Amino acid sequence: MTLTSENLVGYLRAEFDKSGRIRVRLFFVQLLAAVPAAVSVVIPDHEKVVLYLLAIAAAVLLVAWWTLNEFYVTARSAAQAARRGALLLGGLDQPLSPSEIQSLRERFTVTSERARECENPDYYATKETHGPARLAEMIEESALFSEFLQRKSAHVMLGIVLFFGALFLIIALVSIPTMERDTGMVIARVLLALMVFVLSADVLGAWRLHRAAAEEIKQIRNRLMVADRAGYPMPDVLLAFADYNSAVEGCPESVPLVYGSYQKELEQRWAKYQNDRAAARAQWRGAAQ
């Protein structure tokens, strides 16, 4: 059975939905993994059974995190493969070979029924005919969405960093008067345990990567705007396609629920951009005649 661009859109939406849900679970498992360490600092040494149970809980959470991470990486990889295929097939209207179709199907982690439920023929709002111009417009639309989502994700990560920074500062200030007592040492140890969570979740790294990805994707959009005036040369479009893939696959996935919260706004923004670009095209083409 062949795969069309519409089929691949269904797969990419289903796979990204799955990876997004797994990412949320990963975050909370990482948070829970810091709990045994934080609790252990207030447990007396003679409570050996409790300490052993906390150690077992930490080990179980570590295994759970590792398992979830494997599922997350697999689902995200499948989603990215479906996205690349959807862009190429939808833009150039060239069929995939049977071997490539089989390779894609082996990578997918969702059922064909689930993918069919997620199909959307209007996922890419382009009116261009098949060819370099259509592929470029699909990349540009995807880039507009990705840039926005990456910026919003960076804001979310920065908010998490500031929240924990404020929490650490408050705990430090509160614990200063008690530093000479055991309570102060307990608070300090809890603080260190929470720091382990922040570092293991790599919140700072995610914030930096989200922000860098947004800037890189913005540059790709600018290149496609220039290519528009040149009539979308195929080499330029394919290079932008490759660079866009590199940018979105090298950055963290956007924070779950952000897309759903801004979907309508992004669709309206893209529609306005299309209208403005059509007017600009008419203007500079008229001036060239």
Side-chain angles (χ1 to χ4, degrees), residues 202-234:
D202 197 17
V203 178
L204 278 171
W207 167 67
R208 180 181 59 82
L209 290 173
H210 281 305
R211 190 176 62 169
E215 291 300 322
E216 187 175 357
I217 294 170
K218 181 179 179 180
Q219 293 176 9
I220 294 170
R221 287 185 58 213
N222 292 336
R223 286 163 50 190
L224 288 170
M225 293 177 189
V226 174
D228 179 17
R229 285 191 167 242
Y232 289 120
M234 179 64 84

Side-chain angles (χ1 to χ4, degrees), residues 119-132:
E119 289 181 4
N120 181 3
D122 300 321
Y123 187 73
Y124 292 105
T126 176
K127 300 178 178 64
E128 298 286 347
T129 58
H130 290 102

